[in-house]
Amino acid sequence: QVQLVESGGGLVQAGGSLRLSCASSGRTFSRYAMAWFRQAPGKEREFVGAISWGGGTTHYADSVKGRFTISRDNPKNTVYLRMNSLKPEDTAVYYCAVVARQYYNGGSEASAYEYWGQGTQVTVSS
């Protein structure tokens, strides 16, 4: 069974940085694209960014482009989200997710992702 466990969330001041981690188990990590989504109170879940199975391709939501970076360490079965220049509007629960199919880039649609972590809270104070 696939498990995704996020960590690294917390409280940070505006302009600060955090790095989230998502550890995966239960399948061959290096064959699957991964993504990060977030959900703020009272809002729908939204795409943050995604990374291909090999790590060579990434894409981001316009709202985080230039501030957030996704990377992965396949031998460690872990994907990361580095967040710089954080803003109060980045406050949300952040989720990692893995696509359903091997060697498939899931894009920005949540429906393409099969397994999700439990989420980690990020709070940015002004």
Side-chain angles (χ1 to χ4, degrees), residues 52-69:
S52 60
W53 57 90
T57 302
T58 55
H59 68 282
Y60 301 92
D62 288 343
S63 59
V64 307
K65 202 172 294 183
R67 300 187 298 122
F68 289 12
T69 303

Side-chain angles (χ1 to χ4, degrees), residues 30-83:
S30 60
R31 298 177 183 176
Y32 294 87
M34 304 285 294
W36 287 93
F37 289 77
R38 67 186 182 185
Q39 187 166 20
K43 295 187 177 181
E44 294 187 353
R45 189 170 297 189
E46 66 171 353
F47 173 75
V48 173
I51 188 167
S52 60
W53 57 90
T57 302
T58 55
H59 68 282
Y60 301 92
D62 288 343
S63 59
V64 307
K65 202 172 294 183
R67 300 187 298 122
F68 289 12
T69 303
I70 296 177
S71 60
R72 64 190 296 160
D73 186 336
N74 283 346
K76 293 185 178 180
N77 293 344
T78 302
V79 64
Y80 304 97
L81 180 66
R82 176 68 180 182
M83 305 184 293

Side-chain angles (χ1 to χ4, degrees), residues 1-50:
Q1 182 172 349
V2 176
Q3 285 192 318
L4 301 174
V5 179
E6 300 98 335
S7 61
L11 174 64
V12 63
Q13 288 188 333
S17 299
L18 281 175
R19 189 181 79 159
L20 306 184
S21 300
C22 172
S24 173
S25 61
R27 62 168 47 164
T28 305
F29 181 75
S30 60
R31 298 177 183 176
Y32 294 87
M34 304 285 294
W36 287 93
F37 289 77
R38 67 186 182 185
Q39 187 166 20
K43 295 187 177 181
E44 294 187 353
R45 189 170 297 189
E46 66 171 353
F47 173 75
V48 173

